[in-house]
Amino acid sequence: MNHRLLSLLSITGSLLFFSQCATTTEADKPGTTQRAMRQETVAAPAATASTGTEVATASAAPVPAPGTMEAAARKSSADYRNEIRTADATLKASPRNFDALLTRAKAKSHLKDYADAIADYNLAARLKPTNAEVYYNRGLNRLKLKQYAPAISDFSKATRYNPTDKEAFFGRGAARMQMFNFKAAIPDFTKALELDPTYADAYEYRGISYASINKPAEAKTDLEKATQLNPEAAKSLRRYAGK
């Protein structure tokens, strides 16, 4: 996997998913999904007693989050500020320079300036309205700001223009989980798994979603598979499947 998802699993590791309702670092293109996705996560939902209806309380789930995780080492804040200054100079001379807008947006995202990053993605989307990366990355930033409905819209556009982007499907599923819409999240994780059968996080969050709608057998199967692929998922297996 590339490090596009590194932020996905750190979207505010403390965003409360159910108690108050709760990527990757936006990168060049999809990467693996083990706890290193375009990285920035949200904690996983806390289990509650099964009632036959969707769970209404929990704690938080990994969600795509913004940033730009280059395949090599993570850049410093100073590096990102330099990228912004360079992009500013380019855009002053050429206001419609798509690449400069994208670079500046990613740098702002890494610096946690999500609102300004979104403003740049808005401009980029006007220049290239069918560019899937723009919508995916804007969706990640919207997740950071807890703008779940707009994030879902962006991930939907990303999947429309790049139907093979497993991370966009994962991101949409995660956003739907944040809105307690577990049933709608499950098909998104299923699609991500069709695209990558080794996507551990998709198994884990689909398992959590199953547990949240009182489907313990399906939850156990998914969480066991997630744990085989990523031992860290054992925490969710114990929490949601009692193992």
Side-chain angles (χ1 to χ4, degrees):
M1 128 175 194
N2 91 37
H3 302 280
R4 186 186 181 208
L5 269 190
L6 272 179
S7 228
L8 239 176
L9 294 183
S10 155
I11 222 174
T12 103
S14 56
L15 267 186
L16 291 185
F17 188 33
F18 292 87
S19 44
Q20 75 171 52
C21 193
T23 134
T24 70
T25 305
E26 306 152 49
D28 309 344
K29 266 285 101 175
T32 104
T33 70
Q34 318 300 322
R35 303 276 160 194
M37 311 164 60
R38 290 177 194 142
Q39 188 127 313
E40 279 178 303
T41 91
V42 170
T48 64
S50 296
T51 63
T53 58
E54 294 188 2
V55 173
T57 66
S59 119
V63 182
T68 294
M69 219 43 195
E70 274 74 41
R74 182 189 277 273
K75 297 178 182 178
S76 69
S77 295
D79 291 329
Y80 293 122
R81 287 192 287 271
N82 285 334
E83 286 186 352
I84 290 172
R85 284 193 287 271
T86 300
D88 284 344
T90 299
L91 290 164
K92 185 174 182 179
S94 178
R96 296 175 62 83
N97 188 304
F98 176 83
D99 291 334
L101 275 172
L102 198 60
T103 296
R104 188 172 72 178
K106 290 181 178 182
K108 287 177 177 178
S109 181
H110 265 299
L111 295 174
K112 301 185 179 180
D113 191 355
Y114 306 122
D116 275 1
I118 287 172
D120 279 344
Y121 285 125
N122 290 344
L123 294 173
R126 289 177 202 159
L127 295 175
K128 292 191 177 182
T130 62
N131 186 283
E133 183 182 10
V134 168
Y135 295 115
Y136 174 83
N137 287 338
R138 189 172 68 180
L140 293 182
N141 281 267
R142 284 177 162 163
L143 276 175
K144 277 290 194 178
L145 296 176
K146 302 183 185 181
Q147 298 173 358
Y148 303 125
I152 288 170
S153 175
D154 276 343
F155 290 129
S156 294
K157 289 176 182 175
T159 62
R160 180 189 315 159
Y161 298 122
N162 182 6
T164 64
D165 188 353
K166 65 184 181 184
E167 294 165 23
F169 285 103
F170 180 88
R172 188 170 67 183
R176 285 172 166 160
M177 286 180 77
Q178 300 292 10
M179 297 181 76
F180 307 95
N181 194 351
F182 305 107
K183 288 181 180 177
I186 288 169
D188 283 330
F189 297 132
T190 298
K191 181 61 179 179
L193 288 166
E194 288 175 5
L195 293 167
D196 180 2
T198 66
Y199 201 155
D201 290 301
Y203 278 113
E204 183 176 359
Y205 288 93
R206 189 174 69 175
I208 292 170
S209 295
Y210 277 131
S212 298
I213 59 172
N214 198 28
K215 290 194 172 184
E218 292 88 341
K220 179 174 175 287
T221 297
D222 273 355
L223 292 168
E224 286 178 339
K225 180 65 174 179
T227 302
Q228 290 172 11
L229 294 167
N230 175 17
E232 288 187 34
K235 295 176 184 177
S236 292
L237 178 60
R238 291 191 297 270
R239 187 173 194 176
Y240 297 97
K243 291 193 66 176

